[in-house]
Amino acid sequence: MKANISKGTLWTSRIMSGIVILFMLFDSIMKLVKPAPVVEGTLVLGFAEHHIAVIGILGLISTILYAIPRTSFLGALLLTGYFGGVIATHVRMDAPLFTHVLFPVYIAILAWGGIWLRDGRVRSLFPIQSRELDR
């Protein structure tokens, strides 16, 4: 369902989604390439080295689905689950709240916000009304 949205809104949604896609592509590809800092950082989080590629593949599949307009909703759902795992890992590690634990929440807000701005079906699922409409 295509809605008439302004060019500014469309570009804002594309930029928000683009940030998510670029970040997740970089993160997933680095987990597949496995440079030493990624391996060390993942091991510190409590994962075994053989888990790194699996995590990278899951992130990559979710990101690709998010990047394709017809499957972006499914991709956002999968990314939300992925981000939930990241949050749980950082909570378990007693990581700093605003920089580590909540970082996936910031990315999820960008992901869902990008879809919300450009897709009327998502806006109907998550309606945000102004105070003027409540009067």
Side-chain angles (χ1 to χ4, degrees), residues 4-73:
N4 289 333
I5 59 173
S6 71
K7 284 185 180 184
T9 300
L10 179 61
W11 276 103
T12 300
S13 74
R14 287 177 178 169
I15 290 169
M16 291 170 73
S17 294
I19 291 169
V20 173
I21 292 165
L22 289 174
F23 175 79
M24 286 304 300
L25 283 176
F26 178 77
D27 182 68
S28 299
I29 290 168
M30 286 297 105
K31 283 180 175 50
L32 296 174
V33 173
K34 292 199 236 181
V38 171
V39 173
E40 292 166 17
T42 307
L43 294 176
V44 167
L45 293 174
F47 294 99
E49 187 170 345
H50 68 275
H51 294 140
I52 299 171
V54 174
I55 295 168
I57 290 168
L58 292 172
L60 188 60
I61 290 169
S62 301
T63 303
I64 290 169
L65 288 171
Y66 179 72
I68 299 169
R70 291 181 62 89
T71 60
S72 62
F73 187 85

Side-chain angles (χ1 to χ4, degrees), residues 36-117:
V38 171
V39 173
E40 292 166 17
T42 307
L43 294 176
V44 167
L45 293 174
F47 294 99
E49 187 170 345
H50 68 275
H51 294 140
I52 299 171
V54 174
I55 295 168
I57 290 168
L58 292 172
L60 188 60
I61 290 169
S62 301
T63 303
I64 290 169
L65 288 171
Y66 179 72
I68 299 169
R70 291 181 62 89
T71 60
S72 62
F73 187 85
L74 174 61
L77 283 175
L78 293 172
L79 285 172
T80 302
Y82 183 92
F83 296 148
V86 175
I87 292 167
T89 299
H90 284 296
V91 167
R92 185 177 57 81
M93 299 299 298
D94 287 324
L97 179 65
F98 293 104
T99 57
H100 290 67
V101 175
L102 292 179
F103 184 77
V105 174
Y106 309 147
I107 300 296
I109 289 169
L110 287 173
W112 282 106
I115 294 176
W116 188 88
L117 285 172

